[in-house]
Amino acid sequence: MTPILQQDIMYLTGVGPNRKKILSDELGISSFGDLLEYFPYKYVDRSKLYAIRELTTDMPFVQLCGKILGYETFDMGPRKQRVVAHFTDGNGVMDLTWFNGGQWAMKNYKVGEEYLVFGKPTWFNGRFNIQHPEIESLSKVELSTMGLQPYYPTTEKMKRNGLTSRGVEKLTRNLVDRLADELPETLPAEMVQRLHLMSRDKALRTIHYPQNVRELEHARARLKFEELFYVPLKNVRYASDHRRRYRAFVLSRIGSAFNDFYHHQLPFSLTEAQKRVLREIRKDVGSGRQMNRLLQGDVGSGKTLVALMAMLIAIDNGYQACIMAPTEILAEQHLATIQEFLGALPVRVAMLTGIVKGKKRAELLQQLATGGIDILVGTHAVIEDTVHFANLGMVVVDEQHRFGVAQRARLWSKNTNPPHVLVMTATPIPRTLAMTLYGDLDVSVIDELPPGRKPVCTQHFFDNQLASLYQGIRKQVALGRQAYIVYPLIEESEKMDLKNLEDGFEMLKQVFPDMKLSKIHGRMKAKEKEEEMQRFLNRETQILVATTVIEVGVNVPNASVMVILDAQRFGLSQLHQLRGRVGRGADQSYCILVTNRKLTKETRMRIDIMCDTNDGFRIAEADLKLRGPGDLEGTQQSGLAFDLKIADIARDGQLVQLARDEAQRVITDDPECKSARYQLLWDRMRELKKTKIDWSAIS
């Protein structure tokens, strides 16, 4: 017999084949369990009765008890009528109004009978009025049992087929009434008791029909914890299993490559944050366990330098290192940076990208396979089957969110034992999100900029202030600086965007007739982009007009102005990344956000946040709250969009931490996942694996 929660939604009273298809197409609800986990988004208190004399127009919803005194009808044109019922609670009179369905109301709601009326009060024609009220016969309602009424998200198609919020509520009521037996528990009894959690059965019933706010919060806490618990449990279990299964190379020696670089080539003193991260990396690579570490750091914080020093440790121990970047521009930037850092040190560095072909490629692959290359810089070309290392011991993955899980994992097969892995991101990830998304990774943070860097000054201009903006650019260029002017990339119409950039480029040539301009966009060939970037880097042009192709991989210390046109079209993360293209030298830099005046509340908040702070982690936290985790850069691109039904990563930080701690406690207690004490958890994880993302393979 099929367990009740797995039964087809079609067989629930009030559904049938037609509504089943609508629920499946619109909400993905195909079983009783799916409906039970379709949670309300808000609740209205139905436990309180108001008197008509207590009503005010700022009340959201009210509930009254009384009788209908009579009806009036008003013509509103051909075959249209407004029906008004005069309603009294014994102490005052108000109106109930229908613009549609009035005849049905007159037929079903009798004069003189007592009804419970619910709706939003407005003031019209000298009286309070509720339009299209919800009405129930008082004889069918037990007032003492009325609690909070749930409201469910619906779509237009659902509403057209009678599945309004109230319609969904009736289906949910039918289901809850049908659940005679207690629903099975999914957390160990000891954990439920120790954490003072509500039982799963009671939580799922209560979340739909709570009697009061306190009961609702207990139900929410239980369901949120469960949802958040299984994500880190899977990650921590995977990490534990991985560490037990794979031996790692022990990189215990600090030799000439590292020491010569540190004492003779290092261009400036490391920040305390960089030193802390290096200590964490040294501890990892010397432990005998494979390092799996996420390195977060804002733009310009010195992540590449830390990564280079980690790779030098591998070289000192007789291993090769590899750094993989998402684009050729960024790979070339890394190569130039690493070669500049190393100077004359005898470390052999080469680059492998898609443009390296023929005899040159064959020679490079031969050198790599025989140990003639110490550090390989490349794009996804480095994971091709034809690429063999003599002894790969350290892998650095930059801008890791731009690589799929399978691409990153293929680097592991490049040696008999998996190499140590350092993944880097310049997109700061809020701590709660990092714990959830990257639960199997240890996290390091570089949270300070090198000395001498000045914070970028960010200002908001409206598009009728461009004359003043252009004057500011002229002043900066006169001082020998350079500027970026960025046009938005519109996914829906890239042709339109390209036309905007082309038109804008021609217009800017007229605005700045005495200056030289470059342009760069995604439709240009790699060689053309490189030539334009090189002209800008060599100061042959003063202004670079571009799309978001310059978001990563551009390092021009002399550029001091970043102008972002139509900034309202960009997310916080992207604005922050673009701003990171300036402020890379010792001069004061500026980021100008240009918008029109018609800004939504959310857009104005984004602009204000950018102007208020340069702290990437504060910006990431704000982005998480504004947009949700599924939209943040790095989750959707990797195929890891969240499927959280009730928890909120941004607002449930304490529960995220508690869930992570409990997951770690379980794995520490049962590292091989064989204890009967936790069999319930392992069975539940197998169930979830059938329907949800494989969170274990993230790194």
Side-chain angles (χ1 to χ4, degrees), residues 14 43 134 274 343 431 568 582 606 617 640:
Y43 301 83
E134 292 181 24
Q274 287 173 313
R431 185 167 171 272
Q568 71 272 10
V582 295
R606 287 205 307 270
F617 290 94
L640 301 173

Side-chain angles (χ1 to χ4, degrees), residues 592-603:
I592 311 299
L593 307 177
V594 182
T595 72
N596 56 38
R597 290 187 176 272
K598 295 179 181 178
L599 300 180
T600 65
K601 181 180 178 182
E602 183 179 312
T603 301

Side-chain angles (χ1 to χ4, degrees), residues 469-617:
L469 171 59
Y470 295 150
Q471 190 59 36
I473 292 174
R474 286 190 185 91
K475 287 181 180 178
Q476 287 293 303
V477 172
L479 292 171
R481 317 281 182 252
Q482 291 164 281
Y484 299 99
I485 298 180
V486 175
Y487 282 80
L489 180 65
I490 307 169
E491 291 180 6
E492 292 81 4
S493 178
E494 291 189 15
K495 288 182 180 178
M496 185 192 301
D497 172 63
L498 195 58
K499 184 174 183 296
N500 285 346
L501 183 138
E502 295 288 3
D503 289 349
F505 184 72
E506 294 303 318
M507 181 271 293
L508 289 169
K509 284 199 297 186
Q510 296 176 26
V511 173
F512 302 105
D514 53 335
M515 299 179 196
K516 292 182 180 178
L517 280 65
S518 300
K519 67 178 174 183
I520 182 171
H521 55 74
R523 299 249 180 122
M524 295 168 67
K525 293 178 180 178
K527 186 178 179 182
E528 293 174 330
K529 284 191 284 189
E530 175 58 29
E531 288 173 354
E532 290 295 306
M533 280 305 312
Q534 204 61 46
R535 288 178 64 209
F536 189 62
L537 187 60
N538 295 340
R539 305 191 190 185
E540 294 170 21
T541 57
Q542 288 81 45
I543 297 175
L544 178 62
V545 183
T547 60
T548 53
V549 71
I550 64 160
E551 184 183 343
V552 295
V554 179
N555 182 17
V556 183
N558 191 56
S560 64
V561 180
M562 167 63 70
V563 177
I564 306 173
L565 299 171
D566 288 333
Q568 71 272 10
R569 295 184 180 177
F570 296 86
L572 269 175
S573 175
Q574 204 170 30
L575 289 173
H576 183 61
Q577 284 290 314
L578 287 168
R579 177 168 62 183
R581 298 304 104 208
V582 295
R584 294 160 108 51
D587 301 310
Q588 178 64 60
S589 292
Y590 303 88
C591 177
I592 311 299
L593 307 177
V594 182
T595 72
N596 56 38
R597 290 187 176 272
K598 295 179 181 178
L599 300 180
T600 65
K601 181 180 178 182
E602 183 179 312
T603 301
R604 188 167 288 281
M605 286 174 66
R606 287 205 307 270
I607 300 297
D608 288 347
I609 290 163
M610 287 295 298
C611 293
D612 288 345
T613 183
N614 282 275
D615 186 334
F617 290 94

